Amino acid sequence: MFNEPEKELIDLFSNGTADVASIDKCIQRGTRISKVIDDTTVLLEIIDNLGNENPPAMEAYVHIIEKGADIHYVKIDGSCALVEAASMHQDVFTDYLLHKGANPNVIIEFHETVLDHAEFDLFFHEGECSDGDPQHTDWAIRMGKIVK
């Protein structure tokens, strides 16, 4: 599956410490930044492993894409960078991917588009806001930005 520099890069993003220098170091050590490995990519794994508490700086996302991370790869189940970013409530990164040309019309496993999925997530989190949960309120705000 993933080699050690790739695992390290994924960990750097998941704990919010990825920066330009650490990304470049992982690439120099052998991270295959654009290679499809077992129906996934380093970028998809990074997004899948994001924590909402400590998201990395937007600069890190931009840098990894400038270094060649493929924003257009679509897995067999239809998930892709755009779907994963929206699912992880990463509104700024989702907007960036759209501006870079990510396909918002990709169909994911439940026969829905990214927008369909985001609208459902927004509906769900808005319903959960009625209990006063600040996390759902934050996610509803982010999903509202994605839906726009």
Side-chain angles (χ1 to χ4, degrees):
M1 180 103 180
F2 291 107
N3 64 30
E4 285 308 310
E6 291 159 350
K7 291 175 186 175
E8 181 181 333
L9 183 60
I10 293 164
D11 288 344
L12 288 168
F13 272 87
S14 71
N15 66 31
T17 60
D19 60 17
V20 169
S22 63
I23 292 168
D24 287 344
K25 181 180 174 187
C26 289
I27 291 171
Q28 289 167 356
R29 290 183 44 235
T31 294
R32 300 164 292 176
I33 202 72
S34 62
K35 184 166 179 60
V36 176
I37 305 162
D38 297 328
D39 193 35
T40 194
T41 65
V42 170
L43 179 60
L44 285 171
E45 286 299 306
I46 285 170
I47 299 168
D48 280 344
N49 288 290
L50 284 177
N52 282 307
E53 293 78 36
N54 260 344
M58 188 64 198
E59 174 185 74
Y61 291 122
V62 170
H63 189 66
I64 196 170
I65 290 167
E66 287 176 351
K67 287 294 187 175
D70 186 357
I71 67 167
H72 302 289
Y73 179 71
V74 179
K75 294 172 65 171
I76 292 170
D77 68 3
S79 60
C80 60
L82 184 62
V83 169
E84 297 302 326
S87 295
M88 295 301 293
H89 311 100
Q90 298 295 319
D91 54 313
V92 175
F93 187 43
T94 299
D95 187 56
Y96 174 77
L97 290 170
L98 287 168
H99 281 91
K100 292 298 281 184
N103 181 3
N105 297 313
V106 69
I107 303 296
I108 53 180
E109 64 186 330
F110 300 113
H111 307 290
E112 59 187 7
T113 65
V114 176
L115 181 58
D116 295 331
H117 185 72
E119 286 175 336
F120 176 79
D121 209 18
L122 174 61
F123 172 77
F124 173 77
H125 291 301
E126 285 177 337
E128 294 296 311
C129 288
S130 63
D131 294 337
D133 182 341
Q135 186 65 63
H136 285 288
T137 301
D138 178 56
W139 288 342
I141 291 168
R142 289 174 181 233
M143 292 312 292
K145 291 176 183 177
I146 291 169
V147 168
K148 285 184 180 179

